[in-house]
Amino acid sequence: MIPAGRDGSVRLGGLVARDHWFDAPLSYEAPDGERIRLYAREVVSASAPDRDLPWLLFLQGGPGGKATRPPGASGWVGRAVQDFRVLLLDQRGTGRSTPATAATLAARGDAAAQAEYLSHFRADAIVADAEVIRRALIGDDGRWHVLGQSFGGFCSLTYLSFAPEHLDSVMVTGGLAPLTAGPDDVYAATYRTVERKNAQFHAAFPQAREQLEAVAAFVRANDVVLPDGSRLTVPRLQALGLALGAKSAIPGLAYLLEEAFAADGVLSDTFLAGAWQALSFASQPLYAVVHEACYAHNAATRWSARRVGAELAQFAPDADPLLLTGEMIYPWMFEHDPALIPLRDTAQLLAEREWGPLYDLDRLAANTVPVAAALYADDMYVDAGFSRDTAARVRGVRTWETNAHEHDGLRETEDVVDRLIRMNRGEL
């Protein structure tokens, strides 16, 4: 990166990037209480960095994931900066914003104090943060555009529920959240999709079935330790199925399995390192702790994925054939992953918490903001059936339903965001 100006901006592969910092309340119910810091990176095209363009706020997937770190003006970011001044927000607790990790949470005290702190890290608080930022950048009456990927799409629906008057348009990619389905309904549908994804994976990579069963047999018979010192169990092995929902990640899972064994018949260092990288929550513990809560609209989750999965014998660790799981968070993860062990009791309290509303269904039904959404017909993470129901409940949503992409369509090609921009303009 080469400095581009005295304002601290840098040039980066056809982009000009500038850092922004904001102060926000931890709790918007206590605005004079504890404060947190929010970080966002503004990016514009280097070919015309001073051009007067509308703002586009990008809300990253997750929850618990930091914003895109673009290498340059390529992919969706390269397309977006043709029409917008893009703001890549590190949502509260992620990236360079005040972090929420096992270490920072430990300083807050016991599990009850940690759980109370993390109760302020859902979509409603993220939207309130966005409003703080909007006012700082473009004024009290300013309006901007929003692009939400996956969980960022969930946040976009929350934005449309509570502050639509400040939005010029919304784009959603793989993130039309279920509005009326509870967590158990969500996971019942997700498990069905994951089972189908297993079949598709083994049809595409027939050798992976034999390798997976061999790895499972080895894990059952031996004490297998990952590079971080934690044990690899069969349920943890099954959790590698998280990759089945991203087209760009599926071949990597097959390649990992084909190198599972070293010449002496033990699990290879390559496999153990790859499994650890895929299974560890060290880089985003917040994802594991508040994941189920993103489905809890006026509800408690009570470890929904575990309860629903316990009724499905085909997903048992001793099932034959062994099925991989998907984007599920289980209590045992807080027993095995060193990054999550300190948060075990905190996660339990959050699982028992009765959460408040994330959406205003009446306001969504009366929506007047243009909304264009990419709905992925075979999405493993966000059920297409619930997404169709949501599209029908939010007035004016225009959907592009496709099976050309999986959940990672935004990452794969700039065509997705290009199409949504044109949809909101009425060109498609």
Side-chain angles (χ1 to χ4, degrees), residues 122 124 162 178-183 292-302 352-361:
R122 292 207 306 162
D124 51 350
F162 300 122
L179 297 178
T180 59
E292 284 199 353
C294 74
Y295 296 115
H297 171 66
N298 291 321
T301 65
R302 299 184 177 90
E352 296 168 356
R353 187 183 184 91
E354 293 286 344
W355 296 96
L358 289 170
Y359 312 110
D360 183 328
L361 300 185

Side-chain angles (χ1 to χ4, degrees), residues 104-123:
T104 63
L105 290 168
R108 307 198 69 84
D110 62 12
Q114 295 175 28
E116 176 59 30
Y117 181 77
L118 291 175
S119 70
H120 303 295
F121 282 73
R122 292 207 306 162

Side-chain angles (χ1 to χ4, degrees), residues 25 27 30-35:
S27 169
D32 296 327
E34 182 177 350
R35 310 289 289 182

Side-chain angles (χ1 to χ4, degrees), residues 211-260:
Q211 286 294 94
L212 177 61
E213 298 293 352
V215 172
F218 188 91
V219 170
R220 292 186 186 105
N222 297 275
D223 187 17
V224 179
V225 179
L226 295 176
D228 63 353
S230 64
R231 288 187 63 235
L232 177 62
T233 63
V234 174
R236 292 190 84 185
L237 177 66
Q238 290 176 280
L240 290 174
L242 177 65
L244 296 179
K247 187 177 291 187
S248 57
I250 292 172
L253 177 58
Y255 298 147
L256 180 65
L257 287 169
E258 73 181 14
E259 293 187 81

Side-chain angles (χ1 to χ4, degrees), residues 41-62:
R41 178 180 281 110
E42 171 191 353
V43 291
V44 295
S45 173
S47 63
D50 299 320
R51 190 156 55 116
D52 185 19
L53 292 173
W55 284 92
L56 172 68
L57 170 69
F58 176 65
L59 296 172
Q60 172 69 29

